[in-house]
Amino acid sequence: MPNWLFKELFTEPRQHPLLPLPSSLPPSPPHACPPRATLKAGGTREDRPETDPEGEAGDAGPRPRDSVPSLRTLQRQRAREKAIKTLESGQTPPARHRHHQSWSPGPRPPVPWPPSQDTMLVLTLLLEGIRILAADRGQHWTYEGPHGQAHWPESFPECGGGAQSPIDIRMDSVTFEPDLPMVQPRGYEQPGAGTGPWQLRNNGHTVQLSLPPTLYLEGFPQKYAAAQLHLHWGQRGRPWGSEHHVNSEGTAAELHIVHYDADSYSSLGEAAHRPQGLAVLGILMEVGDAPNPAYEHILSHLPEVQYKDQTTSVHPFNVRELLPSQLWQFFRYNGSLTTPPCSQTVLWTVFKHRARISQAQLEKLQETLFATKTEPFEPLVQNYRIPQPLNQRTVFASFIQADPVYSPGEMLSLVVGILVGCLCLLLVAYFIARKIRKKRRGNGKNVMLSSAGSTEPESPSQTLMTPAPHPSSSV
């Protein structure tokens, strides 16, 4: 029982809470203590009646205390009346504070438990929305350092899933699928009038170009409308900057064109968290001799978006020229986004043939952009994710890869053997020619010696064999 209620009920004459109060207040009982007395001259006490609480009696004389209730008694009586009314009405007594007094509302109706299915559905959707917002905006991530890709699963659990991208495509383990339809870009050659300029933005992780939904893909179960494209690259002096590898070899850079299922969803954000809600084209880029005019539509605007969150306008151009010419040869597999939140909802198409840019264009991509907008400025380089485990997934190919007669090692050994054989043949021919030349020189000396010896006298044997002249011949 609260202290204030205890005081009201027990410090004054108690009245049952359910009984009505009397119309007039009864006189207070006599005090237990005797009336105050005064000391007489001889040390004896003289009783004196109580006077008015305001002081000595006035003209009317002294008034006894028991005849009129005091102010404190009236206040307590009123408080007791309020308390009894409160208990009768079933409300919660007021909470008495030091500085003020406030009444709390009546008892609330009990909440049913367990909650209904509708309540659980609302709570689930609310938690999912909070998770998506936290994954998209509330977390900071980088490619290297304490927030690098090795730590992504700590803040984005789906980044540690079993169907992550990119991957290393092994030609000896792909599955030929003859029923894969050819990828057919629509609206790429003619972006369409009325769409306005496209927006190129440096988001601190890559450079991204927005695309209108008038660009879409056919050759899939659904119609996938284009949303944006972006690039991944390394840094100067590094061998590669692509995300996907083929036979453990990367390329200089990689282009991704992102599409969403426009038949089922109204936006990229809605489709990004649904199974096969996205379709991404991956184009591997390598260095060639001549600059690529199509990629120059993007690379020429990089100085305008040098720092993070800077944007600029790009006039629409033929996006088909960014793709390789042989679109019928590609790889297909189920994967994920290569950046947080790493949603495993992407149908990947990686083309076998590659696009080519010049060395100057690649260096412009590697050296122009920064990942920050304030000092210290951090270069935007090496924005690629390393290949992820394939696990139990299957990589399909739309073409049959002709197996070479010899492996690369065997081809190298064969070439070296041929070169060594040719060298040996040259050495043998050299020594044979040298021997023949030496023999000819020897024969020439013998001929010269024999011709020079014909002017000398004959040998004694030749002289003896010469017949003597007949005597008669002298006559």
Side-chain angles (χ1 to χ4, degrees):
M1 180 183 295
N3 293 334
W4 67 272
L5 185 58
F6 179 85
K7 292 179 180 180
E8 300 297 340
L9 295 178
F10 294 102
T11 56
E12 295 292 331
R14 288 180 291 180
Q15 173 74 23
H16 195 278
L18 300 181
L19 297 178
L21 293 175
S23 57
S24 61
L25 296 176
S28 301
H31 293 278
C33 297
R36 287 179 295 179
T38 58
L39 293 177
K40 293 184 179 181
T44 61
R45 293 179 179 271
E46 179 182 1
D47 295 335
R48 187 178 62 179
E50 283 294 332
T51 58
D52 190 3
E54 294 183 2
E56 298 295 332
D59 298 336
R63 292 180 298 175
R65 180 179 178 184
D66 295 337
S67 61
V68 179
S70 64
L71 179 62
R72 183 180 297 273
T73 302
L74 293 175
Q75 291 176 348
R76 289 179 178 179
Q77 187 67 27
R78 293 192 188 97
R80 185 172 62 180
E81 293 177 7
K82 292 182 180 179
I84 293 174
K85 291 181 180 179
T86 301
L87 292 175
E88 291 177 352
S89 63
Q91 296 181 357
T92 304
R96 182 169 294 187
H97 300 279
R98 181 176 181 181
H99 300 290
H100 65 277
Q101 178 177 345
S102 62
W103 287 85
S104 62
R108 298 179 181 179
V111 179
W113 188 264
S116 62
Q117 294 182 355
D118 295 340
T119 305
M120 291 298 297
L121 179 60
V122 171
L123 291 176
T124 302
L125 294 177
L126 180 61
L127 292 176
E128 180 68 14
I130 294 174
R131 184 190 67 81
I132 294 173
L133 291 175
D136 292 342
R137 301 170 184 168
Q139 300 291 340
H140 174 67
W141 60 271
T142 58
Y143 283 94
E144 297 178 348
H147 301 283
Q149 53 188 298
H151 303 280
W152 287 356
E154 299 173 5
S155 302
F156 309 93
E158 203 164 356
C159 294
Q164 289 293 293
S165 297
I167 61 171
D168 179 17
I169 301 173
R170 305 292 303 180
M171 296 299 300
D172 55 357
S173 62
V174 299
T175 301
F176 170 63
E177 180 54 62
D179 295 332
L180 281 178
M182 178 179 172
V183 178
Q184 302 177 19
R186 301 301 185 190
Y188 274 52
E189 294 86 353
Q190 300 175 354
T195 59
W198 300 342
Q199 186 183 68
L200 184 68
R201 179 172 180 262
N202 177 357
N203 61 13
H205 303 295
T206 184
V207 57
Q208 179 177 299
L209 179 65
S210 63
L211 297 176
T214 54
L215 282 66
Y216 62 94
L217 295 178
E218 290 184 351
F220 294 88
Q222 298 87 15
K223 173 185 174 182
Y224 284 92
Q228 50 100 345
L229 63 82
H230 59 270
L231 295 161
H232 298 271
W233 61 91
Q235 69 179 16
R236 191 170 185 176
R238 295 293 180 91
W240 58 61
S242 66
E243 295 197 312
H244 286 90
H245 290 192
V246 179
N247 291 335
S248 301
E249 294 183 359
T251 59
E254 185 171 348
L255 171 69
H256 292 165
I257 306 180
V258 183
H259 307 73
Y260 68 94
D261 182 3
D263 290 340
S264 306
Y265 310 105
S266 59
S267 65
L268 176 67
E270 183 182 359
H273 304 282
R274 300 293 184 269
Q276 293 190 354
L278 303 180
V280 181
L281 303 182
I283 300 94
L284 300 176
M285 302 163 55
E286 62 183 6
V287 176
D289 298 331
N292 191 321
Y295 282 86
E296 193 64 23
H297 287 289
I298 303 173
L299 301 179
S300 62
H301 293 278
L302 293 185
E304 303 171 20
V305 292
Q306 189 173 10
Y307 303 102
K308 180 183 177 181
D309 294 334
Q310 285 187 329
T311 60
T312 188
S313 297
V314 175
H315 187 72
F317 60 92
N318 187 353
V319 182
R320 175 63 181 82
E321 296 178 352
L322 299 174
L323 306 179
S325 56
Q326 299 88 348
L327 295 182
W328 58 88
Q329 293 184 338
F330 58 87
F331 305 99
R332 176 76 51 79
Y333 77 98
N334 289 315
S336 72
L337 298 174
T338 62
T339 58
C342 308
S343 303
Q344 299 180 154
T345 58
V346 180
L347 191 62
W348 276 97
T349 301
V350 181
F351 293 102
K352 174 190 175 184
H353 297 275
R354 304 168 180 178
R356 291 189 175 185
I357 60 176
S358 66
Q359 182 65 36
Q361 288 179 317
L362 178 62
E363 292 177 357
K364 181 186 297 185
L365 183 62
Q366 294 172 341
E367 299 176 356
T368 304
L369 303 177
F370 293 92
T372 55
K373 56 184 176 181
T374 57
E375 295 182 355
F377 297 114
E378 180 181 351
L380 181 51
V381 293
Q382 293 190 200
N383 60 342
Y384 59 86
R385 190 184 190 189
I386 61 175
Q388 303 298 303
L390 184 61
N391 296 324
Q392 305 301 323
R393 290 176 290 174
T394 302
V395 180
F396 297 97
S398 64
F399 59 95
I400 298 177
Q401 178 70 16
D403 295 332
V405 180
Y406 301 101
S407 65
E410 293 174 343
M411 290 292 295
L412 180 61
S413 301
L414 181 61
V415 171
V416 173
I418 293 175
L419 292 177
V420 172
C422 293
L423 181 61
C424 292
L425 289 177
L426 290 175
L427 290 175
V428 170
Y430 170 76
F431 285 114
I432 292 176
R434 183 177 179 182
K435 187 175 182 180
I436 293 174
R437 191 180 302 112
K438 187 175 181 181
K439 186 175 181 180
R440 287 180 178 178
R441 288 178 181 176
N443 292 337
K445 285 184 179 181
N446 292 336
V447 172
M448 292 176 64
L449 289 174
S450 60
S451 60
S454 61
T455 59
E456 296 178 356
E458 296 180 354
S459 61
S461 59
Q462 291 179 347
T463 304
L464 292 175
M465 292 177 63
T466 302
H470 196 275
S472 57
S473 63
S474 60
V475 180

